[in-house]
Amino acid sequence: METVYNRFVSKKNLATILFLTMAAGFLYSQGSMNVVLRGNWDNNALPTVSGYQYNDVWGYESGGREYAFIGSTVGVHVIDVTNPSALVNITQLTSGCASTLWRDFATYPNYLYVISDNCAGSSLQVFDLSPLPGVPTLVYNSNAHFSTAHTLTINSESGRIYVSGANTQMNGVLIL
């Protein structure tokens, strides 16, 4: 009987140690780890999808100014983050799909490429960023290759766009 009890205690202690280790790892991973919050932009008026309002962020620099592109439930927000204590919401770029949370985007070289997922009627959109700090202009909007896509990546050396999760490519990748 003593042996069974000692095994039980040992397993119980092991489970407790494992739980505490996992909890400590989780708490440690949530720390700032030498990251300093410089500014915060939020729009509580945005609608939510499954409790969320935002899905992605991308940085861009031009003319000595820094910008953040933030994907939300209503489009892509263009924020001037040059002065982090005084963020400026330049505009909201409306995509062909205003009812999805999932947007993906990237820049190359002075264009912003935008896709949306989970929404019929979406497209590949390209915005010219040269008017910044003014409003970027839409220069391309087409669903010739797909109408929804999940992920967009641009190879900065080749200029190729890789699109995955497109409704026209079952488990494949489009290369543009």
Side-chain angles (χ1 to χ4, degrees):
M1 190 64 134
E2 186 70 30
T3 306
V4 173
Y5 179 74
N6 285 338
R7 284 185 187 168
F8 175 74
V9 170
S10 296
K11 287 181 181 179
K12 185 176 180 182
N13 287 341
L14 180 61
T16 301
I17 291 169
L18 181 61
F19 172 76
L20 291 174
T21 303
M22 290 173 40
F26 174 76
L27 292 174
Y28 182 73
S29 69
Q30 303 307 308
S32 66
M33 300 300 296
N34 299 321
V35 175
V36 177
L37 177 63
R38 308 288 257 183
N40 185 44
W41 179 86
D42 193 7
N43 182 347
N44 291 327
L46 292 174
T48 62
V49 172
S50 300
Y52 298 99
Q53 295 172 306
Y54 306 103
N55 81 304
D56 200 1
V57 64
W58 188 267
Y60 178 74
E61 186 275 329
S62 177
R65 303 195 68 79
E66 296 180 51
Y67 304 94
F69 303 107
I70 302 172
S72 80
T73 53
V74 297
V76 178
H77 305 270
V78 181
I79 312 294
D80 186 331
V81 297
T82 305
N83 179 358
S85 60
L87 303 177
V88 178
N89 182 13
I90 294 173
T91 191
Q92 169 195 311
L93 304 173
T94 305
S95 72
C97 184
S99 63
T100 185
L101 178 62
W102 192 263
R103 300 176 196 289
D104 203 11
F105 36 87
T107 55
Y108 177 80
N110 64 320
Y111 293 94
L112 176 68
Y113 296 80
V114 180
I115 61 171
S116 295
D117 198 358
N118 296 328
C119 187
S122 184
S123 61
L124 171 63
Q125 294 182 306
V126 182
F127 293 88
D128 181 2
L129 301 176
S130 61
L132 288 171
V135 176
T137 55
L138 180 65
V139 295
Y140 181 83
N141 185 14
S142 174
N143 60 6
H145 301 290
F146 56 86
S147 61
T148 64
H150 188 72
T151 306
L152 175 139
T153 305
I154 301 175
N155 181 321
S156 60
E157 293 179 15
S158 68
R160 290 191 177 115
I161 301 171
Y162 299 88
V163 177
S164 61
N167 63 314
T168 57
Q169 301 296 312
M170 293 297 284
N171 298 317
V173 174
L174 282 168
I175 303 172
L176 306 171

